[in-house]
Structure formats: C-alpha cells, structure tokens
C-alpha cells in the first residue's frame, strides 16, 4: 500500500487512447486509489480541474491528433494556480528524449513515467511524490496560511542543512524574497542556485530579480544568453516579451510572445497574448488567426478572456465584415449568459453592439452607446481595459460624427487618468491607432502628468514636502491618476517626521488608490493571470511586511515612486522601483528537478 490514506484519494486520469486509459485505470485501482475520474482530452481535463479537487493526476504527455499536450496542461495549471500544492501530478510519455526529461523536471512534475511501465513503477512514483509532500508539509502549511516569513525561515533552514529537497527549498526562498520586494537577496539566491546547477529556471530567476531591481538591461542580457543556449525555452521567450513591453518595444514583444505560443500551442494565455500584441502592432491577419484559435481552444475555461471576442469584433469591423461582427457579438452574448453578471461583460456587450451599429446605415444607436460609455469613464471602476476599448471605438466613428460624442474631451479625461507610464501610454496610443487628434491629446496628457510629478519633486527637494504631497494628492484626486496618488503616498511615508498630518495624507492617498486601481492589465488574459514565466508558483498570501504592490492599472509591473529627501540628487528622486506582482499571488507546487 502506498500510504494509509490512499483509499481516500481522488484521481484524474487523462489519456485519449481508450485502451491505455483502461490499463492505467486498473493500475490506479490496484494501487489502492479510492475514486477515479477519466478524461480523454486536455480540454476536458482542464475543465474538470477547474471545478473539482484531485489528489492525484495521471496525464499522458502526447495526444494523437491534437496540438495540445499534457505538458501544456501542467504548465498552465501550475502558473494559473489551479493545481493545489498537495496534488500529485504524474506525466506519462512514450518518448523520453533528453530535452523532454529536462522540460518535465523543470515544469515541477512530481514524477515521469515512460511507457510501457508496470503497476509497480506507478506505485513507486506515487509513493515517492506523496512522501515528498509529507516531508515539506511544514513549509507548505505556512505558505497556505499566508505566513510567508515563517515559510521562508523553514525553507532556508532546510536548504542550509542540505536536507532532502534542499534545492527546491532554495528556489522557494528566492521566490519568497521576490514577494517581499527583496530583489537583491533574491538575485543572490538564484545566482547561488545557478552556480550549483545551471538550469533555465535558475537563470530566469536571475533575470526576474534584475527586472524587479529595474536593471532591465541586465535582464535582457541574461535572457539573451538563456535563449542562445536554449532557443526552445518558451518561458524565456515569454519573459523576454514582458520585458520588451516594459521597454515599449511592442514589435520585439510580439515576436517573443508568438514564439512562446508556437512552442506551447496548447497554452491558451500565450495564444491570447500573441493575438493581442499582433492587434497592437496593426497585424490584423495574424491577430485574427491567434484570437480565433483561442476561441476554438475553449471558451468554457476560466482561463479564456472574453476580451478576445471584442478584439475579434474590432478586427472584423476593420475588414468590413458585418456578418463576422454579428457572429462575434452573438458568441459574446452566449458566453455572458454562462457567467455571473458584471460591469466588465456589460461593457463588452455594449462595445460589440456599438460596432454592429457602426456597420449599419443608422449611426444613432452607435453614437448613443458611445455616449453612455463616455459617461461611464468618470466612474472609479472604469479601468484601463475599458479605456482602451473606448478609445478603439472612438477611432472607428466616422469623422463627420466625432463632435457628437465629444471625442476630444473623452480622450483627454482617459489620458490624464491612465498615462501612468510610458508603456501604458503606448498601449493607449495603440488602441487609438495613433490617429489624430487622439494621439496628440494622449501625448500632451502624458507630458502634463510628468510635469506635475516633476514640479512636486522640485518642491520636495527644496525642503517643502508638505506642499509637494498636497500638489500630487490634489492632482491625483482630480485626474484619478494612480501614479500621482502613489507618489503622494510614498512621499508622505518618507517624510513622516516633517509632516504633522502625514498619517491623514497617507490614508487619503491610499484610499483613493484603492478606489481607482482596480483595473485590469492591458494584455488579453492579463487581468485573470498573474503568471511568472519560469517562476516557482507559490500559494501563500503576500507577507504582512511586504510593500503594497504597484497600482493595477499598469500593464507592466512597474510603479514610479519618489525616493529622495531634501538635498538628494534629482535622479534619485525619480527612481523606478519594479515589483514582481505575480509572485505575490501565486500558488505553491513541488519541483521534481529539485528533488
């Protein structure tokens, strides 16, 4: 018997070969597994895992007649936190090349079985995996309880004492340092791990820590070195894409994200990201192909982002495909009926309705819908995604009718609120198709926000932190700009000793930030995803000592804050502090490569 609780275990068996599935089911029952559920496709397995809890998953790697694989399923489940740390995931493969074995190990598998395998081999793998989870139970319990500092201490001790699974614990320590915004400590730990064993995840950890320290040049060099050695590393391509977005190189980001999606065709989020970036770059044909593929992969999955429908509708409108717009609108309507009602889906349906109306002879319904969306832009819950959508719709209104929807005033309101970084500004410009007069208004508003921030920092450097905080706070409240509010809060926190009402100002700024920073990321799928390519997923909550994460209205993990006191250098006053937000919300898993 594997262990005394095996008869209580729930197992999921995923294989599209009926004979192999029958054999594996008999082996699991022979091992003592109490409850067994069968799935014949990755799609069905993904939906089952989203809805039910399983203690064991035995999944085939290759699926005949399908682009998807068990590896794609595991990657997505791990990164999307749909797989509890206690669940054992075993992969079955008929081919065991060196590359596949390394890929499986670094994907945090609990075991790899090479077909044909015996029932004894399956039992051995299950026993090893369940024992490993039992030995690390104290660390995993602390993470589940949100006690990240406790988990850090326990994992560090296991690593220093070279106890079983020490490498995994070292990796966990490095990840926890990132959640605590201790990027330099994280980089040192990843470098130590890479020196002992030069794996792609350790080297990518160095790159992620460099990004968290705002060393984007260093991170780029690190990623280039990884891809030179391992051109097939999908995680490295994806992380490179994120880095290039941060540097506003959308063309390079598109190439990187497309390569990542090509390497892992079953990863829905990568397919959606590739389609989104193709849309940003004006590559309509490629965007339609990627986004249509995402729809075909399964709209019932929680990992599917309905914004995919909206981008498809925009592209079909641009191709004068009225029947295509109507079809996408109907798909979105059916999708919405299956979901809980909410403002986001309502806006999307309203947007596709506007596009449908713009294809007709009577534009009155379209203009009325645009006016309603424009009025909603004054609300706190009108986020970056909604702003991008509104800009895209305004761009498609015929020139003769733009005055009727007050285009200039709406664009100005959106830009003053959402121009929080160069990367965000580029996204806004992309949705406005860089067309005048919207593009000029967006750039002018970006300059105005920058001027407000610079003027406030000048006051602070002149020894007037109180007026500087008030200036930032008032401008942030007026425009709802998260960058200005965050700078006001940060400056007030650093100048507490000189501000008698610092606590009131900090709370005032924090409250407004909470109200206006509920927005989604710009990439399709980004709002539902906190993936860290190449990162070990952690399940714990953000530690109490961690810094408040940057505003969610930014598509890249960067928040600009002031870090200078009177007499400090101006450059220091505008230091960019990057935090890896994804790591603060991830889920813990076991790592076979570290065993």
């Amino acid at each position: 018997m594997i262990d005394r609780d095996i008869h209580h275990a729930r197992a999921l068996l995923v294989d599209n070969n009926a004979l192999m599935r029958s054999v594996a089911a008999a082996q699991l029952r022979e091992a003592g597994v109490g409850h067994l559920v069968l799935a014949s496709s990755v799609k069905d397995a993904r939906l089952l895992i989203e809805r039910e809890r399983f203690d064991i998953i035995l999944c085939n790697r290759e699926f005949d007649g399908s682009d998807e694989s068990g590896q794609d399923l595991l990657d997505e489940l791990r990164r999307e936190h749909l797989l509890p740390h206690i669940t054992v995931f075993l992969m079955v493969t008929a081919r065991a090349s060196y590359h596949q074995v390394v890929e499986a190990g670094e994907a945090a598998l609990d075991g790899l079985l090479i077909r044909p395998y015996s029932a004894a081999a399956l039992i051995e793998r299950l026993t090893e995996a369940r024992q490993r989870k039992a030995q690390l139970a104290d660390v995993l319990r602390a993470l589940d309880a949100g006690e990240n500092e406790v988990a850090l201490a326990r994992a560090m001790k296991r690593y220093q004492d070279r106890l079983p699974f020490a490498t995994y614990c070292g990796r966990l320590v490095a990840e926890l340092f990132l959640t605590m915004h201790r990027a330099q400590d994280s980089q040192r730990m990843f470098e130590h791990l890479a020196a002992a064993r030069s794996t792609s995840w350790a080297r990518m950890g160095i790159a992620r820590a460099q990004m968290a320290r705002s060393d984007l040049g260093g991170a780029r060099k690190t990623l280039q070195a990884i891809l030179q050695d391992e051109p097939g590393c999908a995680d490295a391509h994806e992380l490179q894409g994120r880095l290039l977005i941060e540097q506003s190189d959308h063309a390079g980001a598109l190439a990187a994200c497309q390569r990542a999606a090509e390497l892992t065709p079953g990863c829905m989020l990568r397919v959606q990201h590739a389609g989104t970036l193709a849309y940003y770059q004006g590559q309509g044909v490629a965007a339609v192909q990627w986004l249509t593929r995402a729809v075909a992969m399964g709209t019932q999955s929680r990992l599917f982002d309905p914004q995919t429908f909206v981008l498809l509708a925009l592209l079909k409108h641009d191709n004068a495909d009225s029947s295509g717009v109507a079809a996408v609108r109907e798909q979105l309507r059916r999708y919405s009926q299956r979901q809980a009602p909410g403002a986001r889906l309502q806006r999307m349906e309203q947007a596709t309705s506007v596009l449908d109306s713009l294809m007709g002879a009577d534009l009155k319904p379209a203009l009325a819908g645009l006016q309603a969306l424009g009025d909603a832009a004054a609300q706190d819950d009108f986020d970056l995604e909604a702003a991008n959508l509104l800009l895209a719709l305004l761009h498609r209104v015929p020139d003769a009718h733009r005055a009727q929807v007050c285009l200039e005033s709406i664009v100005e309101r959106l830009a003053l609120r959402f121009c929080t970084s160069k990367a965000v500004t580029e996204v806004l410009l992309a949705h406005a198709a860089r067309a005048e007069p919207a593009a000029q208004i967006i750039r002018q508003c970006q300059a105005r926000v920058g001027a407000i921030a610079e003027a406030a920092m000048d006051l602070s450097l002149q020894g007037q932190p109180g007026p500087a905080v008030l200036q930032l706070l008032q401008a942030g409240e007026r425009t709802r700009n998260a960058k200005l509010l965050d700078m006001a809060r940060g400056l007030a926190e650093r100048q507490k000793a000189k501000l008698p009402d610092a606590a009131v100002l900090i709370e005032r700024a924090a409250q407004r930030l909470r109200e206006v920073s509920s927005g989604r990321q710009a990439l399709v799928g980004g709002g539902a995803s906190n993936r860290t390519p190449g990162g070990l997923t952690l399940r714990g909550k953000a530690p109490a000592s961690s810094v408040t994460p940057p505003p969610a209205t930014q598509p890249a993990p960067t928040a600009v804050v002031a870090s200078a006191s009177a007499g400090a250098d101006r450059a220091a006053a505008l230091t960019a502090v990057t935090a890896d937000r994804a790591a603060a919300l991830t889920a813990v898993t076991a790592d076979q490569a570290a065993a």
Side-chain angles (χ1 to χ4, degrees):
M1 179 178 289
I2 293 174
D3 54 59
R4 63 182 182 181
D5 297 320
I6 191 65
H7 63 285
H8 294 304
R10 288 174 50 82
L12 173 64
L13 173 59
V14 191
D15 197 323
N16 66 344
N17 185 302
L19 176 60
M20 296 297 183
R21 195 165 59 242
S22 176
V23 171
Q27 290 174 331
L28 285 170
R29 292 190 180 99
E30 181 182 340
V33 175
H35 184 75
L36 185 60
V37 178
L38 308 181
S40 59
S41 70
V42 169
K43 178 180 176 180
D44 291 343
R46 184 186 293 119
L47 293 174
L48 282 166
I49 294 166
E50 288 175 0
R51 297 167 184 168
E52 302 180 40
R53 182 189 65 79
F54 294 98
D55 303 293
I56 300 167
I57 297 176
L58 181 63
C59 181
N60 200 37
R61 189 183 190 280
E62 300 86 15
F63 284 76
D64 295 335
S66 173
D67 286 338
E68 294 187 311
S69 69
Q71 191 69 48
D72 295 335
L73 175 64
L74 174 61
D75 288 345
E76 197 146 9
L77 293 175
R78 293 288 190 190
R79 292 172 184 140
E80 295 312 313
H81 331 313
L82 296 175
L83 196 61
H85 72 267
I86 201 64
T87 300
V88 172
F89 196 113
L90 299 179
M91 190 85 76
V92 178
T93 181
R95 300 182 291 274
S97 68
Y98 173 79
H99 173 75
Q100 289 171 336
V101 172
V102 172
E103 181 186 57
E106 294 188 357
L109 268 180
D110 293 306
L112 182 66
L113 288 164
I114 301 172
R115 185 173 282 146
Y117 61 88
S118 64
L122 173 61
I123 292 173
E124 181 182 359
R125 294 289 190 280
L126 278 175
T127 302
E128 290 172 352
R130 287 173 69 90
Q131 286 178 349
R132 180 164 58 247
K133 292 180 184 296
Q135 286 205 30
L136 297 174
D138 62 335
V139 176
L140 302 181
R141 277 198 303 268
L143 285 168
D144 283 339
E147 299 171 349
N148 287 17
E149 292 182 349
V150 174
L152 174 66
R154 291 174 178 173
M156 180 66 85
K157 187 176 188 308
R158 291 189 69 91
Y159 178 74
Q160 291 174 336
D161 293 347
R162 308 311 298 169
L163 296 175
F165 318 116
T167 302
Y168 166 77
C169 289
R171 187 176 181 183
L172 179 58
V173 167
E175 296 288 350
L176 285 171
F177 277 142
L178 275 179
T179 72
M180 299 174 181
H181 298 199
R182 295 169 58 180
Q184 189 168 0
D185 290 333
S186 177
Q187 182 173 338
R188 290 197 191 101
M189 192 67 189
F190 276 123
E191 288 171 347
H192 194 271
L193 291 165
R197 184 179 180 188
S198 184
T199 58
S200 60
W201 59 259
R203 298 169 73 189
M204 285 186 63
I206 296 171
R208 290 167 49 229
Q210 288 169 325
M211 290 174 67
R213 297 177 58 208
S214 298
D215 181 11
L216 302 186
R220 193 164 184 167
K221 289 179 182 178
T222 301
L223 287 171
Q224 288 171 345
I226 295 171
L227 289 171
Q228 184 174 355
D229 295 338
E230 301 179 62
C233 182
D235 276 343
H237 284 289
E238 183 181 355
L239 189 59
Q240 184 182 55
R242 294 191 178 198
L243 172 63
L244 294 175
I245 290 174
E246 181 72 7
Q247 295 180 320
S248 298
D249 180 2
H250 285 178
L254 171 60
C257 287
Q258 284 183 334
R259 184 58 182 150
E262 289 165 355
L263 288 166
T264 54
C267 182
M268 180 180 291
L269 289 172
R270 284 176 177 163
V271 170
Q272 290 179 124
H273 289 174
T276 311
L277 286 171
Y279 170 84
Y280 287 165
Q281 288 299 105
Q283 297 188 17
V285 174
V288 169
Q289 290 175 344
W290 285 111
L291 296 172
T292 301
R293 182 174 176 178
V295 173
M297 289 173 70
T299 60
Q300 293 183 336
S301 171
R302 285 191 298 174
L303 305 180
F304 177 80
D305 192 329
Q307 182 74 348
T308 299
F309 288 131
V310 180
L311 294 187
L312 277 172
L314 290 167
L315 291 163
K316 291 182 181 297
H317 170 275
D318 295 345
N319 292 331
D321 183 0
S322 57
S323 61
V325 172
V328 173
R329 182 185 177 189
E330 175 61 19
Q331 285 180 304
L332 177 58
R333 186 191 65 79
R334 292 200 302 266
Y335 176 90
S336 299
Q337 288 178 339
R338 301 194 302 267
Q339 309 299 318
R344 183 177 186 240
L345 281 174
Q346 289 174 0
R347 287 188 187 123
M348 290 181 182
E349 289 194 87
Q350 196 171 4
T352 54
S353 176
V354 167
L355 286 170
D356 204 3
S357 299
L358 285 173
M359 303 293 291
D362 184 7
L363 296 186
K364 289 182 180 178
L367 298 178
L370 276 170
Q371 191 60 57
L373 282 170
D375 292 341
Q379 301 171 3
D380 284 339
D381 66 349
F382 196 87
D383 56 21
L384 175 61
E385 179 184 79
N388 288 327
L389 177 55
L390 182 51
L391 285 171
L393 293 174
L394 289 171
H395 164 64
R396 288 163 174 81
V397 174
D399 292 345
H401 297 275
R402 289 186 178 180
Q404 295 175 249
V405 293
C406 306
L407 181 143
E408 287 83 359
S409 62
I410 293 177
V411 173
E412 181 181 30
R413 179 190 302 165
L414 296 176
L416 284 175
R417 177 171 177 178
F418 293 107
C419 282
T420 55
S421 70
K422 183 180 178 181
V424 175
T425 301
E426 287 298 314
V427 170
L428 295 174
L429 287 168
H431 279 277
R434 303 183 186 279
E436 304 299 345
Q440 183 179 2
I441 295 171
I442 292 170
R443 292 189 181 97
Q444 289 173 345
C445 290
Q446 180 191 26
R448 286 168 60 183
V449 171
I452 291 170
E454 187 172 352
M457 298 321 303
D458 282 340
L459 281 175
S460 179
L461 292 171
Q462 293 166 14
Q464 302 182 60
V469 171
L470 281 176
Q471 191 174 99
L472 288 168
L473 187 52
Q474 290 168 358
E477 290 174 333
R478 184 175 64 253
T479 62
R480 291 183 170 85
N481 187 285
K483 170 184 173 179
L484 298 178
L485 292 168
D486 193 45
M487 289 182 70
R489 181 187 59 182
L491 184 57
E493 287 176 342
R494 286 187 300 278
Q495 300 290 346
K496 282 181 183 180
K498 300 179 181 179
L499 297 174
D501 55 349
V504 174
L505 292 172
I506 292 169
E507 177 54 32
R508 178 177 160 186
Q511 176 61 31
R512 288 303 290 145
L513 264 176
R514 287 191 290 269
E515 293 169 353
V516 305
S517 295
S518 59
R520 297 173 62 85
Q521 294 186 346
L523 282 182
V524 167
S529 168
N530 289 289
R531 298 178 6 146
T532 306
L536 177 66
T537 50
L538 311 175
R539 231 186 127 185
K541 305 172 186 176
S545 61
S546 68
V547 180
T548 302
T553 51
Q554 302 185 28
T558 302
V560 177
V561 298
S563 64
S565 57
D569 182 77
R570 176 184 298 274
L574 299 175
T575 300
V577 179
T578 305
D580 194 342
R581 297 165 52 206
L585 301 171
T586 49
V588 77
T589 60
D591 180 71
Q592 176 69 12

